[in-house]
Amino acid sequence: MLTAAQVLAENNFGDTRTGGLAGPMGLFLILVLATATVLLIRNMNARLRRLPDRFPATGTAPGPVRVEDSVVDPTDGTERQESRPATPGASQQG
Protein backbone atom coordinates (compact mmCIF):
# COMPACT_ATOMS: atom_id res chain seq x y z
CA MET A 1 0.00 0.00 0.00
CA LEU A 2 1.31 3.47 -0.98
CA THR A 3 1.55 6.20 1.56
CA ALA A 4 0.61 9.82 0.87
CA ALA A 5 4.29 10.83 0.75
CA GLN A 6 5.06 8.18 -1.88
CA VAL A 7 2.13 9.29 -4.07
CA LEU A 8 3.16 12.94 -3.88
CA ALA A 9 6.83 12.13 -4.52
CA GLU A 10 6.09 10.09 -7.66
CA ASN A 11 7.16 11.70 -10.92
CA ASN A 12 4.07 11.80 -13.15
CA PHE A 13 5.50 14.27 -15.64
CA GLY A 14 7.39 11.84 -17.84
CA ASP A 15 11.09 11.68 -18.52
CA THR A 16 12.55 15.11 -17.89
CA ARG A 17 16.05 14.23 -19.11
CA THR A 18 15.33 13.98 -22.85
CA GLY A 19 14.63 16.99 -25.00
CA GLY A 20 15.74 19.47 -22.38
CA LEU A 21 15.12 22.56 -24.49
CA ALA A 22 13.13 24.55 -21.94
CA GLY A 23 16.19 25.81 -20.05
CA PRO A 24 18.14 27.14 -23.05
CA MET A 25 15.01 28.57 -24.65
CA GLY A 26 14.09 30.35 -21.42
CA LEU A 27 17.60 31.79 -21.18
CA PHE A 28 17.40 32.95 -24.80
CA LEU A 29 14.06 34.70 -24.21
CA ILE A 30 15.36 36.38 -21.06
CA LEU A 31 18.42 37.66 -22.95
CA VAL A 32 16.28 38.94 -25.84
CA LEU A 33 13.93 40.77 -23.46
CA ALA A 34 16.84 42.22 -21.48
CA THR A 35 18.51 43.45 -24.70
CA ALA A 36 15.27 45.02 -25.91
CA THR A 37 14.81 46.74 -22.54
CA VAL A 38 18.34 48.15 -22.57
CA LEU A 39 17.91 49.45 -26.12
CA LEU A 40 14.57 51.07 -25.27
CA ILE A 41 16.05 52.77 -22.21
CA ARG A 42 18.99 54.10 -24.25
CA ASN A 43 16.62 55.42 -26.92
CA MET A 44 14.43 57.18 -24.37
CA ASN A 45 17.44 58.73 -22.64
CA ALA A 46 18.71 60.07 -25.97
CA ARG A 47 15.32 61.60 -26.71
CA LEU A 48 15.07 63.16 -23.26
CA ARG A 49 18.54 64.72 -23.62
CA ARG A 50 17.43 66.45 -26.84
CA LEU A 51 14.53 68.18 -25.12
CA PRO A 52 15.12 71.78 -24.05
CA ASP A 53 15.60 72.54 -20.35
CA ARG A 54 12.62 74.86 -20.37
CA PHE A 55 9.84 75.26 -22.83
CA PRO A 56 9.00 78.80 -23.97
CA ALA A 57 6.01 80.42 -22.32
CA THR A 58 3.04 80.50 -24.61
CA GLY A 59 1.75 83.79 -23.21
CA THR A 60 -1.92 84.27 -23.90
CA ALA A 61 -3.95 81.51 -25.42
CA PRO A 62 -5.08 82.16 -28.98
CA GLY A 63 -8.73 82.95 -29.54
CA PRO A 64 -11.18 80.38 -30.78
CA VAL A 65 -10.68 79.25 -34.36
CA ARG A 66 -13.64 79.74 -36.64
CA VAL A 67 -14.58 76.54 -38.40
CA GLU A 68 -15.67 78.36 -41.56
CA ASP A 69 -12.18 79.81 -42.01
CA SER A 70 -10.37 76.48 -41.73
CA VAL A 71 -12.64 74.23 -43.83
CA VAL A 72 -12.16 74.19 -47.59
CA ASP A 73 -14.90 72.93 -49.88
CA PRO A 74 -13.30 70.17 -51.99
CA THR A 75 -16.01 70.33 -54.66
CA ASP A 76 -15.71 74.10 -55.21
CA GLY A 77 -19.49 74.38 -55.30
CA THR A 78 -20.02 71.80 -58.03
CA GLU A 79 -22.65 69.14 -57.52
CA ARG A 80 -21.72 65.55 -57.00
CA GLN A 81 -22.59 63.22 -59.84
CA GLU A 82 -24.07 59.87 -58.92
CA SER A 83 -22.22 56.88 -60.32
CA ARG A 84 -24.27 54.34 -62.21
CA PRO A 85 -24.08 50.68 -61.28
CA ALA A 86 -21.99 48.63 -63.70
CA THR A 87 -23.92 46.47 -66.13
CA PRO A 88 -22.92 42.78 -66.20
CA GLY A 89 -21.44 42.80 -69.70
CA ALA A 90 -19.84 46.25 -69.77
CA SER A 91 -16.08 46.77 -69.57
CA GLN A 92 -14.85 49.07 -66.87
CA GLN A 93 -12.61 51.98 -67.68
CA GLY A 94 -9.75 52.74 -65.27
Side-chain angles (χ1 to χ4, degrees), residues 2 4-18:
L2 294 174
Q6 289 173 337
V7 171
L8 292 175
E10 188 176 331
N11 182 2
N12 291 328
F13 301 111
D15 188 11
T16 58
R17 301 263 185 218
T18 60

Side-chain angles (χ1 to χ4, degrees), residues 19-30:
L21 189 60
M25 184 59 72
L27 177 65
F28 174 72
L29 289 176
I30 289 172

Side-chain angles (χ1 to χ4, degrees), residues 2-83:
L2 294 174
T3 64
Q6 289 173 337
V7 171
L8 292 175
E10 188 176 331
N11 182 2
N12 291 328
F13 301 111
D15 188 11
T16 58
R17 301 263 185 218
T18 60
L21 189 60
M25 184 59 72
L27 177 65
F28 174 72
L29 289 176
I30 289 172
L31 291 176
V32 166
L33 290 173
T35 304
T37 303
V38 167
L39 291 175
L40 285 171
I41 290 171
R42 289 182 60 191
N43 186 15
M44 280 294 143
N45 282 337
R47 288 179 178 268
L48 287 173
R49 278 190 213 109
R50 283 186 271 173
L51 287 174
D53 290 335
R54 294 182 185 227
F55 290 102
T58 57
T60 60
V65 177
R66 294 185 55 193
V67 175
E68 295 86 21
D69 294 339
S70 62
V71 176
V72 178
D73 185 17
T75 60
D76 294 331
T78 59
E79 292 184 23
R80 181 176 161 195
Q81 295 179 355
E82 296 293 325
S83 60

